[in-house]
Amino acid sequence: MASRTPAIPLSETYRGITTEVARVPLQMPARVPWLIALILSLALLALFLASVTWLFARGVGIWGLNIPVNWAFAIHLYVWWLGLGHAGTLISAMLLLMGQDWRNSLNRFAEAMTVCAVICAGMEPILHLGRPWFLYWMFPYPATMGVWPQFRSPLEWDIWAVLTYLTVSVLFWYIGLVPDLATVRDRAKKRGWQVFFGIFALGWRGSARHWAVWNKTYRTIAAIAVPLVVSVHSEVSLLFASGQVPGWHSTIFPPYFVLGAAFSGFAMVAMIAIVMRHTFQLGHIVTERHLDVLAKVTLAMGLMTAYGYVFEVFDGYYSGELREIATLHDRFFGAYAWAYWGAVLCNFVPLQGLWVARIRRSPVLLFLISTSVVVGMWLERYMILVTSLYKDFLPSSFGYYHASFWDWSTYIGMLGLFMTPFLLFVRFLPSISIFEDKEVLEREKEAAAHG
Amino acid sequence: MSGKRFWRSVEEYQRSDAFSEMLKVEFPSIFELWTVDRREVLRVMGASLALAGMSGCKPVRSDDVVPFVNRPEGLLEGRTDHYATAVLFEGHAQPVLATTSGGRPIKLDGNPEHPAFRGGSTPFMQAAILDLYDPDRSQEPLFGGHPASWADFDGQMGNWRAAWRQNQGAGLRILIGPTTSPTLLRQIAELKSALPQARVHLFDPLTGYAGEAASPLQANIANAQVIVSLDDDLLGPGPMQATNARAWGDRHGDLDGSGRMRLFMAETTPTQTGAKADRRLGIPPSRLPTLAKAIAGGGEVTLTDSELAWAREARRALETARGRSLLTVGRFAPADLHSISLQVNEALGNVGQTCEIAAPLGFVPQAGDSFLDLIRDIEARRVSALFVIGANPVYQSPGDIQFAAIYAKVPLRVHAGLHVDETAAISNWHVPLNHPLEDWSDARSPDGLATIIQPVVRPMYDSRSVHEVLAALTADEIPPARDIVRPTWAKQIGDETAWEAALKTGFVAMAQQAEQAAAPVTSATAPAPREGEVEIVIRPDPTIHDGSFANNGWLQELPKPLFKTTWENVVAISPRLASELKIDSGDMVRVDSNARTVDGPAWVLPGQPERVVTLYLGYGRKRGGRIGTGIGYDAYRMRNAAQPWNCTGTVRSTGARTVLAATQEQHLMDGEVEGLVRTVTREHPSARREEEREQDSFYAKWPQGKPAWGMVIDLDRCIGCNACVVACQSENNVPVVGKDQVARGREMAWLRVDRYYAGDPQDPETHFEPVPCMHCEQAPCEMGCPVHATVHSPEGLNLMVYNRCIGTRTCSSYCPYKVRRFNWFDYTSDAPSPTEAQRNPDVTVRGRGVMEKCTYCIQRIEDATVQADIENRAVREGEVKTACQQACPAQAISFGNLADPESAVAKQRRSPRNYALLAEQGTRPRTTYLARIGEKSDGE
Amino acid sequence: MPQIFSRTADSWLRAVAWGALLFAIGLFLVAFAFARSQYWDVVARTPLQPVPFSHKHHVTDDGIDCRYCHSTVETSANAGFPATHVCMTCHSQLWTNAEVLAPVRQSLAENRPILWRRVARVPDYVYFRHDIHIAKGIACVECHGRIDRMPLTYRAKAFEMKFCLDCHRDPAPHLRPRDQVYNFEWKPPPDHAALGRRLMADYHIKSPAELTSCGTCHR
């Protein structure tokens, strides 16, 4: 352990960490870039609202959907967003329980990112409905109709998956936040800030009893969250695997989807980490070591996802099912081959750079690679959905899908829905866990002393 | 049986590059989004809400009850009534049974009592109901294009009548569309005796402009064992389609091939008949006469080997079945072929057996009273008044006659018709005629029987019967149409009870009254193409026909049987010629003949003779109504009066490309799909495959309910005519969505007829396969729905509960047959009151955002079930007929209770020919197919 | 450093938290109740009719059979509304110039229908049939309530889907001998359950599975 470079340089002081992090909400260091970012994302948000208004006014026909391809952007983005979210939970919960110190500088904003991503993910299936105003029929409530939803349906599970995931993520994130809110409250000068943070700090005094209770709660929720990481995306994958559409009807899907999700998620975290440490000069807290570890995890996840790709091909041929093989060929050479090869290219080629330590520790390169991964996973979801649907069984009903203007505007606008709350979070809340980093430092100093 | 690859289009067969498709703009321009907004939908559904006649005088709220003041005898609210009457096709009666609900006709079906039609339908017969509710129908008399009243018109008529009485009708000409109405014929005769100087000309663009008579040989294929058809599309659109199809059905789908009819088809352009023929031959028109001679014996020199072989085999077949064979020649074929067929059939002793020499049923003008004679007389200023009745010469005249200009030279021009069409637009007077379903008339079906047409609804507009208009030429007092029609039948149907009976049964036997001999036939043989030229064949459009159905949304959106395109006409060219010209389906081509040109989208048509290009009539209307106007190209411009069906010219690509609204996408077809349509032989009748035998399962068979509804579709009988598709649309309130939506893959048809090709694209096998919902016993769709909107009934129906659907579309994603349709927009609420009046009250009208699909006509099942339940009995065999089954003229569809071993479906299910679509998916479909019976099976 | 919050702040926070939770629950309960309220189900409301027709008078006082006016109830999906001349068969003799009957006379004179407001109404996508229900021994009163006691007609039962399903799931308790279908005074015998079972058999009532299959009412 000691031989490894510490997550946080020993030169750091407890006070130093506190000041550095707490300073962000209290006296914003990078006002201008932040404002620019906010304005941009608000603009996107406006685009989103416009698109949704038009969508509800006219119907899903404004998208490029048709029979056979009656699922496209809304569903593949639902999968994509949810995937991005996964890293947050993984880092916070799983690594917490596994006592991985390095997580402590990353978990806070990773969780925030998760929350935003899950909100976006949750929107997609609603927008996708033909009659969204009847969404509540999917909930098992005692209706005057005297009928219940169908619990066999993967979509029914979806609702619960997303809701559970959202609730747990929010709770986990907030509870983790409480002690730091207190810290910021105490350091706040202005009355307004004091009250604002004060309320959300729930009167935290940092007494031994507080810590004891907090610890129990935090770890319990972590324990709840961990299985979710696996279950949520497994379930989402069944949305496809339950149908016997060639290219969907495969047992590989659950692990394949979960790994892909974590893969894109870690890439996303890396991107955000790099941007934040740059804009807010948090270089001492989000150190190169952190980037290094992130990169390694991303690489690992990427390789496992790649295994999924390989196995999918093997699966197809091994099945001997004519249509499975046809779909496979169609992915390689068909009309949407660009999506398949695009995914392969973006996901796995730049990724190989991460074998090299220097690249792992270079923020710029890591950022580029992560971006390519996020794009790659976007393409993969699109590919899985469309290439399977557009040619399924009867040649008479083959049909192409072309994304319409509104497909794109809804998607791009949704980036605003993702960014706006996140920006507000980094502006107004301690986006890196102060006390947890102090713990790390403490432990490291101990190790150094005895080492 | 394997190895044969089925394919649906030449592109697939030649594996042309799908990347071009992919490279199509991923971002359609934002303006494109507007093409489907209200405007389009309105246009398509035909939205004129200005129909006072339809709604009551006082606004009726949705929860108002409007009881009768005096309840009519025998009327039951909430029940439907049926009336035997007829609609017209090319002037011939198509006997129908009209279903009315609450006093408004909502559906037409073939009259089951009629000995020739026996309940068979055609797409045109089914769609005629929509013409009744066409919001673009002419609604009031027009003078110089301005609204006028009948009073004004009658006033004018008075003066004209006076003048004609003076000069015996000199200068008065009547140009009348094809008609077989005995009453109309009587009226014309009376008119001629009253005004000897007046002359009546016939305008029949589908027979010819020069007064040609239709073939004197009336085929009756019911008795034929061998049919050799020279370009005669027996099973295609035409007055006899339903009767021929019925005969065809009776002689097919039977494994012990005793009664089976053998069909040889030599065609100048692919047709449904060619698709079903046992021996098909594609041949350019210029060589058709030689082929005919070869069959008659002699003149074989100029034929290719394949043609010669075909001719010899046909000849042999004809001779082996003397007296039971038939050599028939298409109505579009040159005249001398008709005489050849007459000789041959007489020689073979077929006349009187499989065909007879019949006097024409319809109106035949005297010699010298053809359309061309009229032109001549107008030019010679011999015409002072021209009444155009039920015809549209301005649109339908051949390109070498500028009729609009000639017509203008007539001082008094009166047009009577259903629409304010191209001719009405340049007439002094236009007067609206009643739709056949609105007033009394009569007409003769091609088999010779007559039908007295009784009205099933009061005229919606201020229009009159054609009989009244004609009567007004001579009579000062115009009796109502019934009083004009009734006397025609005074001799034959004396007392009122007989009259009542005649109306109820819907047909009257009629003596073939001896008429004057057919006018001299003048049409010339097809000209041979010069070097570098192609032969051009001109045909009526498969769904819009001669253009008279242009404003019918159902027929516009009905996929053409062979192309599967909608909403426009195409230029059919052969695969070889296409690759020679480097064009693909959808590329615009320019056809040039006699210095006249048209531009149209090419369609690479398998089986098209190599250097032949086919143009289709009926499109390019200028005054065709809100949906019929301005789509497609006008092929009439390319016709010549002397030679309307053939010419020669050149074809080249214009470089432009259009998006065709085809319901079967054009693209690569990867993977193996053989087994979707199967062919068996009498020697090897089993279509079921080893791997498809019932798999053992731990689960109980499900559902077990009785009755167990099921459907069997006989591919040996199906002729791909689409009657079932229109019937379904009319029965189930299926909306019309317009070209743009169809092009986006959003057509709503619950029942589609898939078309597959096999073999060499120059001479392919063509297969039709109707695909309704399979009502799988293990339905993948049901598993996906989160709200139980699609569930299984104990009787085995896969139910779709519209009002529960929230539109997740999972069912359609999971459906292996892709038979589900989604309401992407609000397709229904914009419909005008006329269209709404046609809707079936027993079927929910679906709103935006819900899925829909074939229900096996559950409303009919429920009706029968309830009736049986009231009488405490089980539903009887044949008590439930689905709309498609009822419409099918070839009896290819049977429906019933599989749990009853004696039912027709259960029997057919036991046939070795029975197979399920995608059986390997384990869906256990309730809809299964009977393999086609061929002379060689798949793979051989 | 001065205290930011007063000493009661904590209690306030808890109060708010609990309040929010209770409010959410309350909201659900209100919605739940509203969906079952007479208001929402349009029950017991008497719309303004062109003529203040009293079923009580015609059925109870005059003893006119339902079928006299609703003549197609046994033969058609619709029970059928009386044509004006049906009203006039009596009222050409009785109350010949009563003010309230003016619209009826006018309707006959001008041959223009009387526009009644429908009271018992199911949505368009529900295909209810009177004939089969009568044939299977379901009495008028089952759905229309004690219409024989209504001076002005109103909807007696909430026509929610559940209302239909309750009976379709277990018809036996609602069955009665066919000849008692129009009898509002009919009292079930002590062994009603036994009667129900017997009638289930006699009338060949279908299994709940069949009766509750969606296609029974929705097409």
Side-chain angles (χ1 to χ4, degrees), chain A residues 56 61 63 65-66 70-71 128 130-131 150 153 155 239 244 323 330 335 391-392 395-396 398 400 403 406, chain B residues 8 22 26 33 667-668 670 744 746 754 780 782 784-786 805-809 812-814 818 848 920:
Chain A
F56 286 168
W63 292 343
L65 301 168
N66 57 27
N70 63 355
W71 283 356
H128 155 92
R131 302 202 293 172
Q150 171 175 244
S153 160
L155 281 86
L239 182 56
Q244 69 240 78
R323 290 189 177 80
D330 209 59
K391 288 186 180 182
D392 58 350
S396 58
F398 290 175
Y400 289 98
W406 295 107
Chain B
R8 296 158 309 117
M22 179 273 282
E26 282 279 299
L33 301 162
H667 54 59
L668 268 172
D670 286 326
R744 289 165 186 264
R746 296 172 178 180
D754 290 349
E782 289 166 13
C785 182
C805 177
I806 63 175
T808 70
R809 309 193 284 286
S812 177
S813 292
Y814 289 1
K818 289 288 175 280
R848 159 191 149 191
E920 78 280 5

Side-chain angles (χ1 to χ4, degrees), chain A residues 62-395:
Chain A
I62 66 169
W63 292 343
L65 301 168
N66 57 27
I67 307 287
V69 188
N70 63 355
W71 283 356
F73 267 44
I75 297 298
H76 101 255
L77 289 171
Y78 163 67
V79 180
W80 184 70
W81 281 118
L82 215 48
L84 294 185
H86 270 53
T89 332
L90 259 174
I91 290 180
S92 337
M94 198 173 284
L95 300 184
L96 169 77
L97 298 180
M98 288 158 59
Q100 290 295 324
D101 293 343
W102 58 269
R103 77 176 264 285
N104 291 356
S105 309
L106 308 177
N107 64 334
R108 178 66 47 76
F109 61 78
E111 288 161 23
M113 183 272 285
T114 300
V115 174
C116 301
V118 174
I119 291 172
C120 293
M123 296 290 288
E124 293 286 6
I126 302 173
L127 301 182
H128 155 92
L129 289 182
R131 302 202 293 172
W133 51 93
F134 286 130
L135 174 74
Y136 65 95
W137 284 353
M138 290 179 81
F139 294 96
Y141 68 100
T144 54
M145 290 173 278
V147 289
W148 298 95
Q150 171 175 244
F151 299 103
R152 284 192 308 165
S153 160
L155 281 86
E156 186 59 29
W157 315 335
D158 267 4
I159 290 272
W160 300 113
V162 177
L163 283 183
T164 325
Y165 198 38
L166 185 62
T167 329
V168 172
S169 315
V170 172
L171 271 179
F172 194 66
W173 169 75
Y174 178 61
I175 290 170
L177 203 52
V178 169
D180 285 354
L181 286 169
T183 319
V184 188
R185 171 198 61 196
D186 301 340
R187 299 175 66 92
K189 298 278 171 297
K190 294 207 191 64
R191 168 88 184 145
W193 284 127
Q194 290 177 335
V195 175
F196 173 75
F197 290 116
I199 291 174
F200 289 99
L202 301 173
W204 176 270
R205 293 188 314 283
S207 70
R209 186 157 171 288
H210 278 185
W211 280 113
V213 174
W214 180 87
N215 242 309
K216 212 180 287 153
T217 331
Y218 196 51
R219 290 181 173 277
T220 320
I221 298 194
I224 298 174
V226 170
L228 276 181
V229 176
V230 183
S231 65
V232 170
H233 232 59
S234 306
E235 185 284 319
V236 168
S237 76
L238 294 181
L239 182 56
F240 304 96
S242 310
Q244 69 240 78
V245 181
W248 286 5
H249 200 46
S250 157
T251 47
I252 183 87
F253 262 49
Y256 182 24
F257 267 51
V258 174
L259 292 169
F263 181 35
S264 57
F266 278 110
M268 191 71 191
V269 173
M271 287 167 72
I272 294 174
I274 291 163
V275 173
M276 284 191 34
R277 86 195 276 269
H278 174 74
T279 14
F280 302 138
Q281 302 96 34
L282 297 173
H284 313 286
I285 298 173
V286 183
T287 61
E288 291 195 337
R289 163 104 199 288
H290 288 111
L291 301 188
D292 181 63
V293 182
L294 266 177
K296 282 180 180 156
V297 182
T298 315
L299 178 58
M301 290 294 171
L303 295 175
M304 289 191 260
T305 313
Y307 169 79
Y309 273 61
V310 175
F311 191 85
E312 201 185 22
V313 176
F314 167 79
D315 199 31
Y317 285 115
Y318 184 73
S319 72
E321 238 290 318
L322 290 172
R323 290 189 177 80
E324 286 292 340
I325 296 169
T327 307
L328 214 51
H329 287 184
D330 209 59
R331 286 180 177 172
F332 297 155
F333 315 113
Y336 295 94
W338 56 271
Y340 185 82
W341 295 116
V344 172
L345 203 74
C346 299
N347 279 339
F348 307 123
V349 175
L351 184 70
Q352 303 313 318
L354 297 181
W355 292 103
V356 185
R358 224 161 64 269
I359 300 182
R360 286 202 299 272
R361 291 166 173 276
S362 140
V364 181
L365 291 177
L366 181 58
F367 184 84
L368 293 178
I369 293 174
S370 311
T371 320
S372 128
V373 168
V374 171
V375 173
M377 288 310 293
W378 193 99
L379 287 169
E380 177 194 309
R381 309 308 194 189
Y382 180 88
M383 175 271 291
I384 290 178
L385 200 58
V386 175
T387 54
S388 288
L389 276 179
Y390 92 110
K391 288 186 180 182
D392 58 350
F393 293 93
L394 300 185

Side-chain angles (χ1 to χ4, degrees), chain B residues 614-823:
Chain B
T614 310
L615 304 177
Y616 294 90
L617 300 169
Y619 281 89
R621 296 283 308 267
K622 292 190 180 56
R623 301 287 296 264
R626 76 194 63 197
I627 66 173
T629 304
I631 47 177
Y633 63 85
D634 177 6
Y636 282 103
R637 305 186 49 248
M638 303 299 282
R639 301 181 100 188
N640 303 314
Q643 181 42 268
W645 299 112
N646 306 91
C647 57
T648 63
T650 60
V651 56
R652 59 183 177 80
S653 165
T654 66
R657 182 166 174 79
T658 63
V659 178
L660 288 165
T663 58
Q664 281 194 1
E665 275 271 357
Q666 300 287 310
H667 54 59
L668 268 172
M669 195 186 68
D670 286 326
E672 197 64 59
V673 297
E674 53 99 4
L676 298 183
V677 286
R678 302 183 185 177
T679 310
V680 297
T681 59
R682 243 167 264 125
E683 297 66 40
H684 312 291
S686 177
R688 183 80 112 26
R689 299 179 178 185
E690 192 35 40
E691 66 270 23
E692 288 172 9
R693 74 188 175 300
E694 198 65 37
Q695 299 289 336
D696 306 336
S697 166
F698 288 117
Y699 298 101
K701 279 247 188 339
W702 182 85
Q704 293 130 320
K706 285 187 177 181
W709 300 112
M711 179 181 279
V712 179
I713 301 176
D714 189 337
L715 297 183
D716 197 40
R717 285 181 171 160
C718 174
I719 59 167
C721 70
N722 281 336
C724 50
V725 177
V726 186
C728 176
Q729 183 152 27
S730 145
E731 168 77 14
N732 292 304
N733 304 331
V734 175
V736 173
V737 295
K739 183 183 177 186
D740 174 79
Q741 290 292 286
V742 176
R744 289 165 186 264
R746 296 172 178 180
E747 68 273 12
M748 295 302 279
W750 284 5
L751 168 61
R752 60 174 199 262
V753 179
D754 290 349
R755 184 257 300 114
Y756 294 104
Y757 289 120
D760 166 16
Q762 285 302 333
D763 183 17
E765 274 174 43
T766 312
H767 299 271
F768 298 114
E769 184 175 49
V771 183
C773 174
M774 297 288 138
H775 290 270
C776 313
E777 291 180 0
Q778 302 294 342
C781 53
E782 289 166 13
M783 142 97 192
C785 182
V787 291
H788 272 137
T790 185
V791 293
H792 225 75
S793 88
E795 302 182 346
L797 299 179
N798 169 243
L799 303 170
M800 181 67 222
V801 191
Y802 313 117
N803 45 299
R804 176 70 173 172
C805 177
I806 63 175
T808 70
R809 309 193 284 286
T810 320
C811 47
S812 177
S813 292
Y814 289 1
C815 174
Y817 308 93
K818 289 288 175 280
V819 293
R820 289 172 164 270
R821 299 286 179 250
F822 190 70
N823 288 271

